[in-house]
Amino acid sequence: MGGVRHGASGDKVLPTQASPALRTASPFVAKRRSAMVAARDLSPRASTLCEPTMTSSADHSYPFSKYHGLGNDFIVIDLRAEARADHRTGSLSPADFVGPTAVRLCDRHRGIGADGLLLFTGSLSRPQMRVVNADGSVPEMCGNGLRCFVKHVVDRFDVAGHQLTVITDAGPLACSFERGADGRVSQVSVAMGSPSYAPADVPVASAAPLIDHALEVDGLTLHITGVGTGNPHLVLFDELTDAQRQRLGPVLSSHPLFPAHANVEFCALIDT
């Protein structure tokens, strides 16, 4: 559902083995229902609250929590004013995590390891989520990330009710959630809005929608579709090998047809 331009969007997600110091939230699996995205916790026994673990950047130390949805994993960092007062985060803002800091934290060998950062700003009554990709860039939002973000906020801060609106760079998104028998969030639904092919909504550098558009890349003729869901997606159903997907993902993500870059989805029809 978007986030990391090449990786978190679904073209290749590598499983992460959390260290004992990182207590992760339980895995999610998603069901697609029209414009809704549902996240269900399949392992209630593992549905424990993510306890913040300390990391550091330059002269700052700050707690973080680690979650994943569908194997799409994220580092959650609370940058609200009250959270900064409780820890040595000083005047850190989302801008401090864009670029090299995100790259370092998301590095799976030398850092914490993740597909991206979810930065919590605003307040509990009006939470804001800023996403930073593993390559340091900033997308408009991320569906998997938003589901993890809602679970974190609701479980950690005992948010009442069954609905939460989160402010993202794609605008406010209404989320509803259900709790399991243990009282923790077991399902999150996000009103993503209707997908659009309109060039301005994706956006794409084309006067007409890109639907099954033939595109020559790396000696191959691919058939791509541009879809906007609050952030840009490039979808294709061409039969490719894993090696080809790995090579083509970054190339397609930054193709000039997609001026804001794109999340790349390599898809296949499965008979049922």
Side-chain angles (χ1 to χ4, degrees), residues 1-5 9 138-141 170 196 199 201-204 225-235 253 257-265:
M1 298 310 296
V4 177
R5 295 305 188 198
S9 60
V138 179
E140 293 83 354
M141 61 85 63
S196 173
D201 293 340
V202 179
V204 293
T225 297
V227 184
T229 61
N231 56 358
H233 291 259
L234 184 160
V235 182
S253 176
L257 275 174
F258 292 81
H261 290 203
N263 298 283
V264 178
E265 283 89 24

Side-chain angles (χ1 to χ4, degrees), residues 196-226:
S196 173
Y197 298 117
D201 293 340
V202 179
V204 293
S206 171
L210 298 182
I211 301 176
D212 204 28
H213 174 78
L215 181 67
E216 296 291 331
V217 177
D218 199 19
L220 298 172
T221 300
L222 305 176
H223 301 85
I224 67 168
T225 297

Side-chain angles (χ1 to χ4, degrees), residues 110-161:
R110 300 178 180 87
I112 299 167
D115 289 321
L117 309 179
L118 305 177
L119 306 177
F120 182 9
T121 62
S123 63
L124 283 178
S125 60
R126 188 177 170 79
Q128 299 182 33
M129 181 189 76
R130 168 65 64 88
V131 183
V132 184
N133 290 326
D135 64 1
S137 63
V138 179
E140 293 83 354
M141 61 85 63
C142 173
N144 276 334
L146 183 55
R147 297 184 297 129
C148 293
F149 182 84
V150 169
K151 180 173 174 63
H152 174 78
V153 172
V154 174
D155 283 353
R156 179 146 193 82
F157 299 101
D158 297 322
V159 175

Side-chain angles (χ1 to χ4, degrees), residues 16-58:
T16 298
Q17 179 65 46
S19 68
L22 303 180
R23 296 180 59 189
T24 62
S26 53
F28 288 143
V29 65
K31 290 184 178 180
R32 293 289 298 276
R33 292 188 186 136
S34 62
M36 302 298 289
V37 178
R40 184 175 299 279
D41 183 339
L42 294 183
S43 180
R45 291 181 61 190
S47 184
T48 56
L49 183 65
C50 249
E51 295 296 338
T53 303
M54 297 301 292
T55 188
S56 62
S57 175

Side-chain angles (χ1 to χ4, degrees), residues 21-22 51-57 60-65 86-89 105 112:
L22 303 180
E51 295 296 338
T53 303
M54 297 301 292
T55 188
S56 62
S57 175
H60 300 285
S61 296
Y62 42 87
F64 69 90
S65 299
D86 291 339
H87 304 286
R88 297 185 301 239
T89 53
L105 292 176
I112 299 167

